[in-house]
Amino acid sequence: MTKETEERLARSWEIFRKFLITKDLRVTGQRRSIFKAIFALPDHFTAEDLLERARKIDETVSRATIYRSLPLLNESGIVREVDVGHDSKFYAVNRRSENFKAQVICVDCDKIFEVDAPFMEWYGKTVSENLALDVKSQRLQVHAECPGKREEKTCPKGN
Amino acid sequence: MTKETEERLARSWEIFRKFLITKDLRVTGQRRSIFKAIFALPDHFTAEDLLERARKIDETVSRATIYRSLPLLNESGIVREVDVGHDSKFYAVNRRSENFKAQVICVDCDKIFEVDAPFMEWYGKTVSENLALDVKSQRLQVHAECPGKREEKTCPKGN
DNA sequence: GTGCTTGCAAAGACTTTGCAAACTT
DNA sequence: AAGTTTGCAAAGTCTTTGCAAGCAC
């Protein structure tokens, strides 16, 4: 683990810890283990992925605690939900100062790629102004197929 | 029911009927009843809504048949899925020659409003060109709150 | 008659929850 | 000590599926 990664992790943990304290919640071992596990996972993961990884760190972590923790991690901004509609929800680490991201979901290999969609900020404003609504969140998803790649099961960004 | 509505319904039914025949599927009473029920429902409905309505037309319609019919109705273009991520899927009648629609989901009352988002066509093309992907579908959803309306539980477009 | 369809109830996938024991503060 | 959190297993929600009887063609 690089020094930068370590520092980022420490900063994130500090954020989550304070979030818990502010909400009068306890800083437990399981919450800490789940937090750590997130940063050892690939970009997008499910509750089940997280359970599996967290148990490698602390075998007492249960599925229930994973499901009880994910809303907290989301609320605190550590992760963000990426709901692609089918099956279970995905989660991703929420990197600070990120532009708005759209998800490109490959119908061949089911992988999720995140691409910048800066115009969504403008779109949010447009909705706010025209409909007099207070925009809370937006999502933009594109389901696409890699032409000619279906047979080989290879994807543009390399599997 | 106006004459135009009746005609539209007849045209849609013809489309669905031909779809079934082409696929070597049977034109059954239940499928017909489910088809009819769709047009007696509000803009957005769930499988359960459809079951309830269809049973008023034909009490032999079962939940299983609803779930087995919805993919056919979607494939044939009669309805389109509107997946808002939480709970169950919604469906909407797919009116011909519609522009691309974004969904504005009110966090106060959970209602779904569809608004034109013509620029999404351009966005799809951009993705196709830049990433060399064949775009199959897109969705754009905005979760928003009506400021000051929370207490009254009233929403911008009435109810 | 052949083969798709149906309703039923059971199974499935994913998530939530009640409870008593264990832990944080 | 007080009040939160935990794991477990059971319950819940939405959807799918196996099966034998029934229907469309």
Side-chain angles (χ1 to χ4, degrees), chain B residues 1-15:
Chain B
M1 194 183 288
T2 67
K3 200 175 169 212
E4 292 86 63
T5 308
E6 229 168 80
E7 279 169 9
R8 189 161 63 77
L9 214 150
R11 268 197 310 276
S12 290
W13 171 248
E14 216 29 48
I15 291 171

Side-chain angles (χ1 to χ4, degrees), chain B residues 90-152:
Chain B
F90 283 84
Y91 294 85
V93 173
N94 200 11
R95 299 178 200 294
R96 257 155 311 297
S97 74
E98 254 182 0
N99 286 324
F100 184 93
K101 291 275 194 291
Q103 283 89 43
V104 178
I105 299 137
C106 183
V107 297
D108 292 335
C109 70
D110 272 343
K111 282 230 162 49
I112 304 167
F113 303 108
E114 308 236 3
V115 303
D116 280 321
F119 67 87
M120 288 304 295
E121 212 169 313
W122 156 79
Y123 186 67
K125 275 196 197 112
T126 302
V127 171
S128 295
E129 283 165 17
N130 293 356
L131 301 180
L133 296 172
D134 193 1
V135 174
K136 291 295 174 203
S137 66
Q138 302 182 82
R139 69 182 161 148
L140 170 55
Q141 296 178 350
V142 179
H143 287 259
E145 176 181 285
C146 335
K149 304 274 173 136
R150 179 159 264 167
E151 283 89 273
E152 307 127 54

